[in-house]
Amino acid sequence: MMWKKYQSIPLIYKMITGMLAGILAGWLMGAGTELFAPLGKFFLTCLKCIAMPLVIVNLIAGISNLDNPESFGRIGIRIILYYILTSAAAMLVGFGVATVIKPGLNLPLTGSYKGVVGEIPTIGSTLLALVPSNIFKAMMEGRFDQVVIVSAVTGVALLMMPEAPRKRLTMLFQDLSDLMNQLVHIIMILAPYGIFALVAQSVGKYGSAIFGTLAKYIGSVYLGIFIMCCLYALMVFVFTGIRPGEFFRKASRIMVTAFSTCSSTSSIPINMECAESLGAPKKVYSFTIPLGAQINKDGTCVCLTTVFIMTAQAIGVSVDFGLMLKVLVIGLILTTGSGAVPSGMLVILAILLESLGFPLEIVGLVAGVHAFNDMGMTMINCLGDLSGTVIVGHKEKQHSA
């Protein structure tokens, strides 16, 4: 009886309850939340396990349902333009918020950075890095960017085949896609408990740092995240007519999942389901969501420019328009082409600061709370992918009508 009552509760309510319970447990138990680590790791591993095959079969199935290769090209141009524009907007939001809040005033630069500082990737090297020499190696290493490219080309090739084999293969990949989606539904039974464990660990480990010297920095990042969430909802409303309340209600599952897992790629299955619930065609979301997980990093953009302004304030450097423009260009290259940059956000930050001649010790300082910020950053990365998918999907449906 109790089990049936539990099953009748909508999944999103159970996920939000798990997240809130995790925050409370992390606050009360502190480091003791490591007890929940196996549960959180198991849930995350399950999502990662299904993400790669889900992307492959959904992408090929989605493209094979297009009218022609030109439709794929149209979708690709629109979504890439959207990702570039929103990344630029996110960097401007970071500039603005940090300039107003001034998190760098009286900030002691006492940290240190001992990581590797790389170079800004060129456009050529970024494009070459998208093509795998061995597709099976790319799958084993979790290179979603390379897998997305190969799967997309495979889908286009399928479109160009004679009608009889094209129909057979399209039906095969569609059936495989349905199978993968059913596996996602099974894994999501664990979601409330996995989310509880992951959030409890994060809050237990990093929660105390949010009231220290970096409180204004964390507040600046999350204010930027909030502004970007509002921007996404506004864009979706303007271009599709979907009201913000409905958008956030149907996007709530990906917001909670991404916030808890801190992984865009692991959240791909959930984001695809949210895109479908918001009316995006499969031929669109099967391509745009995996692509966005690799190249659309609005959260990183907000954080990069926030740290840049914070560092400038801490060392007393005046930021003029020319310097802001330079940061904007370098930041877009680094975040969009970050598949070529190992070790993620902190290394990207180090590359940016070194290219400007700024002290790198700020990287060591913000590294202590990066995991806490990463939850919100991942959430808007995924929400940005979703909003772009809904907008492009709506335009594609209008074009096909």
Side-chain angles (χ1 to χ4, degrees):
M1 185 69 178
M2 290 293 293
W3 175 246
K4 286 185 177 180
K5 190 173 182 180
Y6 174 78
Q7 285 182 307
S8 66
I9 301 174
L11 179 61
I12 183 56
Y13 294 158
K14 290 183 279 191
M15 292 168 67
I16 292 175
T17 301
M19 183 178 70
L20 295 176
I23 293 173
L24 180 61
W27 183 265
L28 296 175
M29 297 177 63
T33 53
E34 285 297 315
L35 173 69
F36 307 124
L39 177 58
K41 186 175 181 180
F42 179 71
F43 173 62
L44 197 54
T45 302
C46 287
L47 285 177
K48 288 180 178 179
C49 174
I50 196 64
M52 184 68 76
L54 181 82
V55 165
I56 294 171
V57 298
N58 269 285
L59 186 49
I60 296 176
I63 293 176
S64 65
N65 283 318
L66 293 171
D67 300 326
N68 49 61
E70 287 78 14
S71 299
F72 175 69
R74 185 173 59 249
I75 292 169
I77 290 172
R78 284 174 173 169
I79 196 63
I80 290 173
L81 181 62
Y82 166 87
Y83 288 154
I84 292 174
L85 291 176
T86 53
S87 293
M91 296 190 75
L92 292 174
V93 166
F95 276 130
V97 169
T99 300
V100 172
I101 295 182
K102 295 180 171 57
L105 291 184
N106 304 316
L107 182 69
L109 296 183
T110 58
S112 61
Y113 178 69
K114 299 178 182 179
V116 177
V117 180
E119 298 179 352
I120 301 173
T122 64
I123 295 176
S125 64
T126 300
L127 293 176
L128 285 174
L130 293 175
V131 182
S133 59
N134 186 325
I135 183 59
F136 298 104
K137 182 180 178 182
M139 287 190 286
M140 289 178 63
E141 294 178 350
R143 288 296 304 268
F144 276 82
D145 50 350
Q146 296 181 344
V147 171
V148 165
I149 293 299
V150 173
S151 300
V153 173
T154 302
V156 172
L158 199 159
L159 268 181
M160 300 169 69
M161 292 181 68
E163 184 177 1
R166 179 164 59 86
K167 285 186 175 180
R168 290 197 301 269
L169 287 170
T170 298
M171 187 172 295
L172 170 63
F173 281 105
Q174 183 60 58
D175 289 343
L176 288 173
S177 173
D178 293 340
L179 174 62
M180 292 300 148
N181 292 337
Q182 190 59 48
L183 285 173
V184 171
H185 293 152
I186 294 173
I187 292 172
M188 289 308 293
I189 295 173
L190 295 172
Y193 314 103
I195 286 171
F196 162 78
L198 291 166
V199 172
Q201 273 186 278
S202 295
V203 175
K205 189 174 183 180
Y206 301 102
S208 60
I210 66 174
F211 297 110
T213 57
L214 294 179
K216 288 177 71 176
Y217 160 63
I218 296 170
S220 298
V221 171
Y222 272 89
L223 177 57
I225 288 169
F226 174 76
I227 293 172
M228 288 304 298
C229 288
C230 295
L231 178 61
Y232 296 144
L234 177 62
M235 291 175 66
V236 169
F237 176 68
V238 169
F239 287 105
T240 71
I242 298 175
R243 295 185 178 278
E246 181 184 359
F247 174 69
F248 284 121
R249 179 172 59 82
K250 293 185 176 179
S252 55
R253 281 209 294 163
I254 186 57
M255 295 174 72
V256 173
T257 302
F259 187 86
S260 308
T261 61
C262 297
S263 173
S264 296
T265 52
S266 300
S267 302
I268 287 173
I270 316 304
N271 216 1
M272 285 184 171
E273 289 191 348
C274 291
E276 188 170 30
S277 70
L278 283 162
K282 185 173 185 176
K283 62 183 181 182
V284 174
Y285 71 69
S286 61
F287 171 63
T288 59
I289 295 293
L291 180 67
Q294 294 302 308
I295 70 170
N296 186 42
K297 294 179 172 60
D298 294 349
T300 301
C301 290
V302 169
C303 197
L304 275 179
T305 48
T306 300
V307 176
F308 160 70
I309 294 293
M310 183 170 70
T311 308
Q313 292 167 348
I315 63 178
V317 171
S318 177
V319 178
D320 57 19
F321 178 77
L323 184 56
M324 285 179 60
L325 186 61
K326 184 178 180 180
V327 171
L328 186 66
V329 173
I330 295 175
L332 284 173
I333 293 172
L334 286 171
T335 53
T336 304
S338 59
V341 180
S343 304
M345 161 67 192
L346 295 177
V347 171
I348 293 174
L349 176 60
I351 295 173
L352 173 67
L353 294 179
E354 187 185 51
S355 69
L356 300 170
F358 277 32
L360 293 184
E361 59 181 301
I362 191 74
V363 181
L365 193 62
V366 301
V369 294
H370 176 65
F372 190 83
N373 278 346
D374 197 29
M375 294 189 289
M377 289 161 55
T378 306
M379 181 192 72
I380 69 161
N381 288 346
C382 294
L383 192 64
D385 299 344
L386 178 62
S387 65
T389 297
V390 172
I391 291 169
V392 172
H394 181 75
K395 292 296 181 184
E396 188 62 23
K397 286 194 292 187
Q398 286 182 329
H399 187 275
S400 302

